[in-house]
C-alpha cells in the first residue's frame, strides 16, 4: 500500500512537471524518473502475481511548441499564457486564401486524362458507388457538386450515359477550360440518352456557357409543341441574356417559332420588348431586330402581323397617357373623364373606339378586337386607379381587361405563369383543382394588362352576407345540397382552396388578406396581387398559407376532403421531374429584375428557400403529415385575424 501511495504521489508530481508548474532540475529530474520507472515495474509484478492485472496504455501527443490551452484545476496555480509573439502561425493556403490545392488538381487531371477513355468505357460501379451515383443524380439542380461527386461522375460517365437525368450533372463536372476534355465531353453528350425539356432549360442557365451545350439544349426544345413552349417562353427570352453571340441558336429558334405561329409571336414581341426597357439586355435587342427582319421578309401576312404588333404598342402608349390624365382627378370624375375621352370625336377617341383593323388581344392573341367600348369601361377605386377596359371582339362579344400604370407586373406575370404550369402538371395526373388561370402581361417596367375575371373579394362578400356559403348558395341554390349550395359549387370551392393553398405555400406568397382572395359565382376561389413572394411578407409571423376561419367554416364537413386534395397535389408537385422544371424556370429568372427573386442580390438564398418548400428529404407519407401540420398551423394562426382587422381599418381610412 505504501508503494502504491508513493507511486500516486510521484505520478502527481510528473503531471505538474509536464504542465510546467514545477521547475526543471536536471540531476533531480533523472533521479525521480528512475524512481518512477522502478515503482511502476514493482506495481506491475505485484498485479501479475495476484491475478489482479489490468493495464491501459494511452499515448498522448507531445508538442514542440507551447500549448496555450489546458484543462483548469482548482488546486493548481493558473498557467501563464505564452505571449502571442512567441506562437508560430501556420497558414493553410487552401482554406484561408481560397487557393486550389495543387496536389488535388494534379490528381484530378491525371485521373481525367482523355487517354483513359477506352479504359473508363469498361468501368462499372460497385454497389456502394451505384448508391452514391444514384444520390448525386437525384439531387435538385440547385445543389452544387463537391469534388468527390464530380470525380465519381466523370469516372463512371460511360456507365451512366443511359440515364437522361445524369447528363446535366455530368456536364457540371467538366473542365471547360481544357480543350481535350471539352471535345470528349461534347461528343459523349451527343451520344447520351435524350433528355427532356425540363433538363434542357437547365442547360440554358448561366451555369453553362459552352455554345455546343446550349445548342444541344435548343435542339431538344425544338421538339416541343407550341402549347408547351408557351409555358416557358418567358424564361427562354430571359435565357437570351446568357448567350455569347447575337446570332445564337436560341434566338434563331424563338424567331422561327414566332414567325410561324402568331400566338407565340405575340408573346415573344412583348417579352422581348419589356427586356429592351432600361437597363436593356443586349441579346434581347438583337433578337428583337432579328424578329422584325424575319417577319417583314416572310410575306404580306408576316408584314401585316408585325404592323398589328406595333399598333398594340402604340395603343398601350395612348392608354398610358389617358391613365395619367384620369389620375389627376378625384372620385366619379375619373370615370366621366375616361368615358368622355373614349367617346370623343377627336383623333384619339376615334382610334381607340374603332381600330383601323382587327388586332389580337395582347392577353389572348386568339381573340381579335376591333375597339374599346366606352360605356362598359370604368376606373377602379384604388391608389393607382387602374382602368377597366372592355374591348369589342370580332365576334360581337366583349373582352374585359385591367390596365395598370405605376405597378411592376413582371412578378405577377411570373406567379400567374407558375400557377398555370402547376395546374397543367396536376391535370396530367388527373387532378383538376378548379384553378382560375387568368392572364397577366407586363407591357413595361410599370405598366401592364390583367385579364378581368368576374368575381368578388372575400372581404366584400363577408361584409354583405356574413358567410361565404350564403354567397355561393345565392348563385348556386340547392335546398338539399350542403349549406343550400349545389354539390358542384361546394366542391369547386373546396378544390380551389386546396389548389391555391398548396401553390401559394410553395411560392411563399405573402401579404394575403381578404381583399386579394376572390370568389367567382360558381364557387371557385382564386388569389390576385402577388406583390410579395418567396417568403417575403410585410406582416410579422404570417401563416404559410391563407386559411382563415371563414374559409374553414364554409368547407364544413368537407374539410377532410380539402386536406386530402392538398396532400395529393403537394406530392404530385414534389415529383422529381416537376421539381426540376420549376427550379430551372426560377433559375432562368435570376437577372430578370423580379423584386422578390433577386432582392439584395441574394438570388441563391431565394432559390434555396423555394426548394426547401418541397421537403425533398421526406417520403410521400411524411410529406403528407408535414403539409397537414402546416394546414393546422395556418388555420389556427393567432395573429392573422388581428392583421386582417388592421387591414380593414387601413382600407377604410384610405
Amino acid at each position: 500500500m505504501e508503494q502504491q501511495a508513493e507511486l500516486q504521489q510521484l505520478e502527481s508530481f510528473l503531471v505538474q512537471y509536464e504542465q510546467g508548474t514545477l521547475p526543471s532540475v536536471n540531476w533531480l529530474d533523472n533521479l525521480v524518473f528512475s524512481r518512477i520507472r522502478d515503482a511502476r515495474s514493482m506495481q506491475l509484478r505485484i498485479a501479475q502475481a495476484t491475478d489482479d492485472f489490468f493495464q491501459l496504455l494511452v499515448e498522448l501527443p507531445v508538442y514542440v511548441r507551447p500549448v496555450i490551452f489546458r484543462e483548469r484545476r482548482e488546486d493548481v496555480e493558473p498557467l501563464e499564457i505564452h505571449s502571442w509573439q512567441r506562437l508560430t502561425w501556420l497558414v493553410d493556403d487552401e482554406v484561408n486564401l481560397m487557393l486550389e490545392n495543387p496536389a488535388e488538381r494534379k490528381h484530378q487531371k491525371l485521373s481525367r486524362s482523355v487517354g483513359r477513355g477506352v479504359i473508363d468505357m469498361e468501368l462499372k460501379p460497385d454497389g456502394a458507388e451505384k448508391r452514391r451515383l444514384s444520390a448525386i443524380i437525384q439531387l435538385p439542380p440547385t445543389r452544387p457538386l463537391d469534388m468527390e461527386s464530380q470525380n465519381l461522375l466523370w469516372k463512371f460517365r460511360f456507365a451512366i450515359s443511359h440515364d437522361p437525368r445524369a447528363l446535366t450533372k455530368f456536364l457540371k463536372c467538366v473542365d471547360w477550360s481544357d480543350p481535350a476534355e471539352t471535345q470528349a465531353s461534347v461528343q459523349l453528350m451527343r451520344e447520351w440518352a435524350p433528355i427532356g425539356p425540363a433538363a434542357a432549360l437547365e442547360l440554358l442557365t448561366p451555369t453553362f456557357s459552352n455554345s455546343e451545350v446550349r445548342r444541344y439544349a435548343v435542339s431538344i426544345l425544338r421538339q416541343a409543341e407550341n402549347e408547351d413552349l408557351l409555358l416557358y417562353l418567358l424564361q427562354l427570352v430571359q435565357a437570351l441574356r446568357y448567350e455569347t453571340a447575337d446570332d445564337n441558336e436560341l434566338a434563331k429558334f424563338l424567331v422561327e417559332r414566332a414567325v410561324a405561329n402568331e400566338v407565340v409571336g405575340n408573346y415573344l414581341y412583348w417579352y422581348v420588348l419589356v427586356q429592351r426597357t432600361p437597363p436593356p439586355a443586349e441579346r434581347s435587342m438583337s433578337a428583337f431586330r432579328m424578329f422584325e427582319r424575319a417577319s417583314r421578309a416572310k410575306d404580306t401576312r408576316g408584314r401585316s402581323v408585325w404592323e398589328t404588333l406595333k399598333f398594340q404598342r402604340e395603343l398601350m402608349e395612348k392608354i398610358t397617357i389617358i391613365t395619367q390624365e384620369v389620375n389627376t382627378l378625384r372620385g366619379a370624375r375619373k370615370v366621366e373623364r375616361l368615358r368622355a375621352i373614349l367617346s370623343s370625336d377627336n383623333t384619339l377617341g376615334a382610334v381607340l373606339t374603332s381600330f383601323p383593323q382587327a388586332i389580337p388581344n395582347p392577353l389572348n392573341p386568339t381573340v381579335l378586337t376591333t375597339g374599346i367600348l366606352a360605356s362598359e369601361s370604368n376606373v377602379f377605386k384604388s391608389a393607382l386607379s387602374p382602368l377597366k377596359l372592355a374591348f369589342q371582339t370580332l365576334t360581337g362579344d366583349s373582352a374585359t381587361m385591367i390596365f395598370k400604370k405605376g405597378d411592376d407586373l413582371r412578378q405577377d406575370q411570373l406567379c400567374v405563369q407558375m400557377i398555370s404550369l402547376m395546374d397543367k402538371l396536376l391535370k396530367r395526373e388527373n387532378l383538376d383543382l378548379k384553378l382560375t388561370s387568368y392572364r397577366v402581361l407586363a407591357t413595361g417596367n410599370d405598366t401592364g394588362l390583367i385579364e378581368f375575371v368576374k368575381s368578388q373579394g372575400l372581404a366584400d362578400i363577408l361584409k354583405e352576407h356574413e358567410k361565404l356559403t350564403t354567397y355561393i348558395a345565392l348563385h348556386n341554390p340547392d335546398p338539399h345540397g350542403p349549406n343550400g349550395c349545389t354539390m358542384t359549387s361546394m366542391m369547386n370551392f373546396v378544390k380551389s382552396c386546396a389548389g391555391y393553398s398548396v401553390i401559394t405555400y410553395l411560392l411563399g406568397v405573402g401579404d394575403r388578406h381578404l381583399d386579394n382572395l376572390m370568389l367567382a359565382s360558381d364557387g371557385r376561389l382564386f388569389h390576385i396581387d402577388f406583390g410579395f413572394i418567396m417568403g417575403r411578407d410585410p406582416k410579422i409571423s404570417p401563416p404559410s398559407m391563407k386559411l382563415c376561419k371563414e374559409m374553414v367554416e364554409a368547407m364544413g364537413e368537407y374539410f377532410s376532403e380539402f386536406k386530402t386534395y392538398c396532400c395529393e397535389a403537394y406530392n404530385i408537385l414534389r415529383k422529381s421531374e416537376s421539381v426540376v422544371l420549376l427550379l430551372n424556370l426560377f433559375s432562368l429568372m435570376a437577372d430578370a429584375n423580379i423584386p422578390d427573386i433577386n432582392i439584395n442580390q441574394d438570388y441563391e438564398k431565394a432559390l434555396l428557400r423555394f426548394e426547401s418548400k418541397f421537403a425533398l428529404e421526406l417520403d410521400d407519407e411524411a410529406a403528407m403529415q408535414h403539409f397537414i401540420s402546416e394546414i393546422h398551423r395556418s388555420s389556427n394562426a393567432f395573429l392573422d385575424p388581428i392583421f386582417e382587422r388592421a387591414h380593414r381599418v387601413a382600407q377604410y381610412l384610405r
Side-chain angles (χ1 to χ4, degrees):
M1 293 295 293
E2 292 179 358
Q3 290 177 340
Q4 185 175 1
E6 181 186 12
L7 179 59
Q8 290 178 350
Q9 186 178 17
L10 290 172
E11 295 278 10
S12 175
F13 288 148
L14 180 61
V15 170
Q16 296 179 46
Y17 176 84
E18 290 176 342
Q19 292 177 344
T21 57
L22 289 180
S24 176
V25 181
N26 289 334
W27 67 270
L28 184 58
D29 293 346
N30 293 331
L31 290 176
V32 174
F33 292 154
S34 177
R35 180 57 185 157
I36 290 174
R37 283 194 297 270
D38 293 340
R40 285 176 175 173
S41 299
M42 180 63 69
Q43 190 71 19
L44 180 60
R45 286 195 295 271
I46 294 173
Q48 290 173 336
T50 58
D51 293 329
D52 186 20
F53 176 72
F54 180 82
Q55 186 177 21
L56 175 65
L57 298 177
V58 179
E59 182 177 356
L60 298 176
V62 177
Y63 299 95
V64 177
R65 298 292 177 181
V67 177
I68 63 172
F69 172 82
R70 69 178 179 87
E71 186 177 357
R72 300 292 297 271
R73 288 175 50 184
E74 298 297 332
D75 58 338
V76 178
E77 292 293 328
L79 178 65
E80 179 183 357
I81 303 298
H82 295 274
S83 64
W84 292 104
Q85 288 77 11
R86 295 177 56 190
L87 296 178
T88 300
W89 293 89
L90 300 177
V91 178
D92 187 340
D93 290 342
E94 298 173 46
V95 177
N96 294 285
L97 301 181
M98 303 299 290
L99 297 179
E100 187 177 56
N101 186 324
E104 286 186 1
R105 182 60 176 164
K106 184 64 175 178
H107 169 71
Q108 183 189 39
K109 295 300 292 183
L110 291 173
S111 63
R112 287 186 173 210
S113 172
V114 178
R116 286 179 45 88
V118 177
I119 301 174
D120 290 346
M121 289 179 68
E122 304 300 325
L123 289 177
K124 302 295 180 185
D126 59 25
E129 290 167 333
K130 282 182 179 179
R131 289 190 292 273
R132 175 63 179 149
L133 284 169
S134 177
I136 296 171
I137 291 171
Q138 292 178 25
L139 287 174
T142 50
R143 304 284 181 87
L145 299 177
D146 56 33
M147 186 60 68
E148 182 183 355
S149 299
Q150 292 183 34
N151 289 337
L152 193 65
L153 286 166
W154 178 267
K155 180 180 179 181
F156 296 108
R157 61 194 182 280
F158 293 102
I160 61 176
S161 60
H162 67 280
D163 190 343
R165 301 172 303 162
L167 178 59
T168 56
K169 300 294 189 299
F170 162 69
L171 293 175
K172 283 182 178 179
C173 74
V174 175
D175 180 4
W176 298 104
S177 63
D178 186 329
E181 188 170 318
T182 297
Q183 183 179 359
S185 299
V186 169
Q187 180 62 34
L188 181 58
M189 175 187 70
R190 296 192 180 110
E191 299 170 0
W192 208 281
I195 60 175
L201 289 171
E202 184 178 356
L203 300 183
L204 294 175
T205 61
T207 303
F208 300 95
S209 58
N210 182 272
S211 59
E212 290 299 324
V213 172
R214 300 183 73 84
R215 184 176 290 110
Y216 172 78
V218 173
S219 70
I220 298 297
L221 293 174
R222 286 184 181 277
Q223 303 169 24
E225 299 292 335
N226 286 329
E227 182 182 359
D228 293 327
L229 182 66
L230 288 170
L231 291 174
Y232 36 82
L233 180 61
L234 177 64
Q235 282 74 18
L236 293 179
V237 172
Q238 296 298 325
L240 287 171
R241 67 175 71 240
Y242 307 125
E243 296 293 339
T244 56
D246 289 345
D247 191 27
N248 59 80
E249 202 67 21
L250 178 58
K252 292 178 183 177
F253 164 63
L254 294 178
V255 169
E256 287 172 10
R257 285 295 183 93
V259 172
N261 185 281
E262 294 179 13
V263 175
V264 175
N266 184 93
Y267 288 118
L268 180 67
Y269 178 87
W270 282 108
Y271 292 162
V272 175
L273 190 65
V274 171
Q275 278 223 94
R276 292 177 70 237
T277 56
E282 182 181 352
R283 303 299 173 221
S284 297
M285 295 176 68
S286 62
F288 190 83
R289 292 190 292 268
M290 186 188 299
F291 183 21
E292 181 178 5
R293 288 195 301 269
S295 297
R296 294 187 182 280
K298 182 185 178 184
D299 51 25
T300 305
R301 178 60 185 169
R303 290 190 291 273
S304 175
V305 169
W306 185 260
E307 291 303 320
T308 61
L309 292 174
K310 283 181 60 180
F311 183 79
Q312 283 185 10
R313 181 181 178 183
E314 295 167 1
L315 180 63
M316 294 302 108
E317 292 172 352
K318 290 180 172 64
I319 295 175
T320 300
I321 295 172
I322 294 174
T323 304
Q324 292 171 333
E325 182 177 344
V326 167
N327 279 340
T328 61
L329 305 174
R330 300 179 64 85
R333 295 181 60 194
K334 293 184 177 183
V335 180
E336 294 173 1
R337 182 56 184 159
L338 171 63
R339 292 178 178 175
I341 294 173
L342 295 176
S343 303
S344 64
D345 295 329
N346 59 25
T347 305
L348 179 60
V351 170
L352 293 177
T353 54
S354 181
F355 301 152
Q357 60 177 331
I359 66 167
N361 179 346
L363 283 173
N364 184 6
T366 60
V367 176
L368 296 178
T369 59
T370 58
I372 301 176
L373 299 171
S375 59
E376 297 182 23
S377 298
N378 211 329
V379 180
F380 286 97
K381 296 179 181 179
S382 69
L384 297 176
S385 299
L387 306 184
K388 177 185 175 184
L389 301 174
F391 284 75
Q392 180 76 49
T393 67
L394 199 60
T395 58
D397 298 323
S398 64
T400 305
M401 61 189 78
I402 302 167
F403 180 84
K404 292 187 77 172
K405 163 69 178 172
D407 257 356
D408 188 345
L409 292 182
R410 286 176 292 183
Q411 185 160 293
D412 285 69
Q413 180 176 259
L414 174 63
C415 287
V416 170
Q417 178 209 20
M418 289 293 111
I419 292 171
S420 298
L421 176 59
M422 292 185 195
D423 186 31
K424 187 164 187 175
L425 294 174
L426 294 173
K427 286 177 178 176
R428 284 179 180 174
E429 300 291 332
N430 297 316
L431 183 61
D432 184 0
L433 293 182
K434 306 300 179 182
L435 302 180
T436 303
S437 299
Y438 64 92
R439 298 175 176 87
V440 176
L441 179 67
T443 58
N445 286 342
D446 64 344
T447 59
L449 294 169
I450 304 172
E451 183 180 1
F452 178 77
V453 179
K454 192 174 182 180
S455 56
Q456 197 169 351
L458 295 195
D460 294 334
I461 292 174
L462 292 172
K463 183 178 179 181
E464 182 179 355
H465 300 286
E466 294 186 356
K467 290 185 178 181
L468 298 177
T469 49
T470 304
Y471 174 83
I472 298 174
L474 181 66
H475 296 279
N476 308 273
D478 183 354
H480 305 291
N483 296 309
C485 312
T486 61
M487 179 58 72
T488 300
S489 62
M490 176 54 68
M491 294 315 297
N492 283 346
F493 180 74
V494 172
K495 289 181 178 180
S496 58
C497 283
Y500 278 98
S501 293
V502 173
I503 292 174
T504 55
Y505 168 77
L506 292 174
L507 295 177
V509 178
D511 194 26
R512 296 295 85 191
H513 47 75
L514 297 181
D515 280 319
N516 53 29
L517 270 67
M518 312 300 290
L519 189 60
S521 59
D522 61 357
R524 289 177 297 114
L525 177 137
F526 63 98
H527 288 236
I528 61 172
D529 293 342
F530 300 96
F532 293 86
I533 62 172
M534 308 303 280
R536 286 189 66 237
D537 200 302
K539 300 189 291 291
I540 302 172
S541 300
S544 56
M545 65 190 81
K546 182 65 175 179
L547 199 58
C548 62
K549 65 180 182 64
E550 292 86 357
M551 295 166 64
V552 176
E553 289 173 357
M555 285 184 268
E557 60 186 298
Y558 299 100
F559 189 60
S560 58
E561 279 85 348
F562 162 80
K563 291 189 286 187
T564 300
Y565 285 128
C566 282
C567 293
E568 188 177 353
Y570 186 52
N571 276 331
I572 289 174
L573 296 176
R574 289 177 65 251
K575 288 185 176 181
S576 177
E577 55 271 23
S578 299
V579 173
V580 168
L581 175 59
L582 294 170
L583 289 177
N584 286 336
L585 289 175
F586 266 92
S587 296
L588 286 167
M589 302 301 290
D591 299 304
N593 295 319
I594 303 295
D596 288 355
I597 290 184
N598 56 3
I599 183 171
N600 298 325
Q601 305 301 314
D602 205 1
Y603 155 75
E604 291 184 357
K605 284 187 178 179
L607 194 60
L608 288 174
R609 281 197 298 270
F610 181 45
E611 180 207 310
S612 68
K613 290 298 187 73
F614 292 93
L616 299 177
E617 70 281 1
L618 303 179
D619 59 26
D620 284 356
E621 184 65 31
M624 289 173 61
Q625 296 302 321
H626 163 70
F627 201 83
I628 288 174
S629 67
E630 291 291 340
I631 290 173
H632 289 308
R633 269 197 295 269
S634 298
S635 60
N636 296 304
F638 172 71
L639 292 176
D640 194 48
I642 298 174
F643 285 121
E644 198 63 57
R645 285 194 291 271
H647 174 77
R648 285 200 291 269
V649 171
Q651 290 295 103
Y652 175 78
L653 294 176
R654 180 181 294 177

